[in-house]
Amino acid sequence: MPVSPILERQTTYPFVRLNDAARRVEARGIEVIDFGMGDPREPTDPLIRQALVDGLRERMGYPAAVGLPELRQAIAAWAQRRFRATLDPETDVIPTLGSKEAIFSFALAVVDADGTRDTVAYTDPGYPVYERGALFAHARPLALPLREEHGFLPDLNAIDDETWARLAIFWVNYPNNPTCATAPLSFYERLAGLAREHGFVIASDEAYTELWFGQPPASALQLVDRSNVVVFNTLSKRSSMTGYRSGFAAGDPTLIAALKAFRPTVGTAPQEFVQRAAVAAWGDEAHVGETRARYGRKRALLLDLFERKGIRVAGSEATMYLWLEVPPGETSEAFAERLLEHGILVTPGSYLGSAGEGYFRVALVPSEAECAQAVRILERAL
Ligand SMILES: Cc1ncc(COP(=O)(O)O)c(C=O)c1O
């Protein structure tokens, strides 16, 4: 039976491997506290749940890929309040089904694999979907390492002119998963200048802009000139709505027009009742403040422990993760296996890209009580 060779070459999705390891340990009677995948386990705010229920109708027809005008307006109003970015809800915004599907398929809408624009750049370690989307679009993937000495920003000086000329998409993701680093607006300004000069698209995955602990992070939406720029954001982390699947793409109207042409075929028009819940979610900041405070408390608990145990914290400015250095002499996978024997599941940095070796990631998703329990366990284990 024919199966895509791209699919056959693909390694198992990192979190499938991680969950399998956890199940094996649990089968031996060890209780596992799961700091692996970044799936918030907090309840979604009642205001949002009610909006979803109120959005149910006796009959619901096919939703349109362009989304409800009310949702596009709510997103534009949020971007104005949060980033002072003016978006035209008619031309600059399109809702998505969460952001993963839109990130995966974006290369299909942009890359000319048989032409001169065949390359998709993304950062390593990172979210695996940029590379996978590039491969399925038959693009040439280009992993750019994120090094601590560069503040976990890609080294733009290391890219040669031939590569710039072949580049179709440059994926950036700040606040970054997994290094938790943030990017200053000047980074977006420099990259946007290069994008205009060389004619590539900046795709800025901003899933974590709302999970911060010091200053609110910048967005590529703040650029004065948003030519060649598209931003993806989502309610998954901001509003603990991973199960709803609701996000948006916004930016250069030419790119949004391309998505409006592409997406009706893909079948990813968001359900109308979810869009109604999303209008409520983008319109409310109180629940986001509470979410940040909760992550902040869990973060403080674990940071205190790791610091006392001499485990060095790298990056870790924002997001729902901590990015920490593996003790000398151990691989990230061996270290994660050692912690798993004590019932603590973390992600080895190497699972998130080869430049992730030497680090491990802690997703602050267990409850505060579970985090306190994990601190007691790690107090003995480390
Ligand atoms: C960096 C990054 N981008 C995008 C996503 C996708 O989130 P969603 O599809 O739930 O919006 C995630 C999810 O973990 C992520 O870590």
Side-chain angles (χ1 to χ4, degrees), residues 229-285:
V229 175
V230 64
V231 165
F232 295 81
N233 209 323
T234 170
L235 290 170
S236 287
K237 320 287 171 166
R238 173 190 183 274
S239 300
S240 309
M241 285 172 68
T242 43
Y244 287 65
R245 316 308 299 132
S246 188
F248 68 81
D252 186 329
T254 313
L255 290 167
I256 300 302
L259 291 176
K260 282 182 180 169
F262 172 70
R263 292 178 57 81
T265 317
V266 191
T268 43
Q271 299 89 335
E272 207 176 294
F273 40 87
V274 173
Q275 294 191 62
R276 302 269 177 213
V279 171
W282 289 115
D284 181 65
E285 285 300 323

Side-chain angles (χ1 to χ4, degrees), residues 120-126 130 142-160 163-164 167 169-179 181-184 186-192 194 200-205 355:
V120 173
Y122 51 88
T123 52
D124 167 12
Y130 319 122
L142 175 67
L144 303 171
L146 294 183
R147 305 265 181 232
E148 201 167 341
E149 57 270 28
H150 282 121
F152 295 116
L153 295 171
D155 182 3
L156 302 180
N157 296 331
I159 300 170
D160 59 31
T163 306
W164 286 125
L167 205 55
I169 304 173
F170 195 132
W171 280 103
V172 289
N173 164 226
Y174 294 97
N176 182 253
N177 173 15
T179 68
T182 55
S186 57
F187 169 77
Y188 294 114
E189 282 164 350
R190 176 158 180 227
L191 193 58
L194 288 161
F200 62 87
V201 171
I202 300 172
S204 182
D205 173 2

Side-chain angles (χ1 to χ4, degrees), residues 155-371:
D155 182 3
L156 302 180
N157 296 331
I159 300 170
D160 59 31
D161 281 343
E162 194 213 320
T163 306
W164 286 125
R166 285 178 70 173
L167 205 55
I169 304 173
F170 195 132
W171 280 103
V172 289
N173 164 226
Y174 294 97
N176 182 253
N177 173 15
T179 68
C180 314
T182 55
L185 187 57
S186 57
F187 169 77
Y188 294 114
E189 282 164 350
R190 176 158 180 227
L191 193 58
L194 288 161
R196 288 192 296 272
E197 182 187 339
H198 297 285
F200 62 87
V201 171
I202 300 172
S204 182
D205 173 2
E206 302 189 359
Y208 296 95
T209 50
E210 302 320 289
L211 302 184
W212 44 269
F213 307 99
Q215 288 300 310
S219 162
L221 289 175
Q222 289 168 276
L223 289 165
V224 176
D225 183 350
R226 287 193 297 260
S227 319
N228 298 36
V229 175
V230 64
V231 165
F232 295 81
N233 209 323
T234 170
L235 290 170
S236 287
K237 320 287 171 166
R238 173 190 183 274
S239 300
S240 309
M241 285 172 68
T242 43
Y244 287 65
R245 316 308 299 132
S246 188
F248 68 81
D252 186 329
T254 313
L255 290 167
I256 300 302
L259 291 176
K260 282 182 180 169
F262 172 70
R263 292 178 57 81
T265 317
V266 191
T268 43
Q271 299 89 335
E272 207 176 294
F273 40 87
V274 173
Q275 294 191 62
R276 302 269 177 213
V279 171
W282 289 115
D284 181 65
E285 285 300 323
H287 73 279
V288 190
E290 284 161 22
T291 301
R292 269 195 295 272
R294 203 164 39 234
Y295 283 123
R297 288 193 297 273
K298 297 191 215 179
R299 190 169 180 270
L301 261 181
L302 282 139
L303 279 180
D304 174 61
L305 167 94
F306 287 124
E307 274 162 14
R308 275 188 293 110
K309 292 288 172 184
I311 301 236
R312 198 174 63 80
V313 181
S316 301
E317 287 160 51
T319 77
M320 63 206 288
Y321 308 106
L322 296 176
W323 186 240
L324 303 130
E325 194 179 44
V326 170
E330 232 172 334
T331 65
S332 61
E333 193 164 12
F335 178 73
E337 277 167 18
R338 179 152 75 86
L339 293 194
L340 191 53
E341 284 302 314
H342 295 276
I344 306 294
L345 182 72
V346 301
T347 307
S350 60
Y351 278 25
L352 301 165
S354 55
E357 183 51 56
Y359 299 92
F360 66 102
R361 192 190 77 174
V362 173
L364 299 168
V365 290
S367 67
E368 289 182 60
E370 287 171 317
C371 287

Side-chain angles (χ1 to χ4, degrees), residues 23-234:
R23 298 300 84 81
R24 279 196 300 276
V25 171
E26 278 174 340
R28 289 177 15 226
I30 300 172
E31 203 176 312
V32 173
I33 305 180
D34 187 348
F35 292 94
M37 201 157 109
D39 190 353
R41 285 175 226 146
E42 311 296 340
T44 303
D45 194 90
L47 176 104
I48 301 167
R49 285 185 273 148
Q50 192 57 49
L52 179 115
V53 171
D54 294 344
L56 276 176
R57 305 267 178 277
E58 194 175 53
R59 177 186 175 273
M60 307 205 69
Y62 283 120
V66 292
L68 296 173
E70 297 91 313
L71 176 56
R72 283 184 269 112
Q73 281 153 15
I75 292 166
W78 174 78
Q80 185 74 54
R81 286 194 303 276
R82 171 68 174 85
F83 299 118
R84 299 191 188 290
T86 304
L87 295 174
D88 181 338
E90 288 304 310
T91 55
D92 302 356
V93 184
I94 185 165
T96 55
L97 215 64
S99 52
K100 189 184 211 176
E101 58 82 11
I103 290 170
F104 177 81
S105 64
F106 188 60
L108 290 171
V110 170
V111 171
D112 175 9
D114 299 325
T116 51
R117 292 272 166 198
D118 64 351
T119 303
V120 173
Y122 51 88
T123 52
D124 167 12
Y127 188 51
V129 182
Y130 319 122
E131 180 190 10
R132 290 177 180 214
L135 292 172
F136 278 96
H138 299 283
R140 194 173 70 115
L142 175 67
L144 303 171
L146 294 183
R147 305 265 181 232
E148 201 167 341
E149 57 270 28
H150 282 121
F152 295 116
L153 295 171
D155 182 3
L156 302 180
N157 296 331
I159 300 170
D160 59 31
D161 281 343
E162 194 213 320
T163 306
W164 286 125
R166 285 178 70 173
L167 205 55
I169 304 173
F170 195 132
W171 280 103
V172 289
N173 164 226
Y174 294 97
N176 182 253
N177 173 15
T179 68
C180 314
T182 55
L185 187 57
S186 57
F187 169 77
Y188 294 114
E189 282 164 350
R190 176 158 180 227
L191 193 58
L194 288 161
R196 288 192 296 272
E197 182 187 339
H198 297 285
F200 62 87
V201 171
I202 300 172
S204 182
D205 173 2
E206 302 189 359
Y208 296 95
T209 50
E210 302 320 289
L211 302 184
W212 44 269
F213 307 99
Q215 288 300 310
S219 162
L221 289 175
Q222 289 168 276
L223 289 165
V224 176
D225 183 350
R226 287 193 297 260
S227 319
N228 298 36
V229 175
V230 64
V231 165
F232 295 81
N233 209 323
T234 170

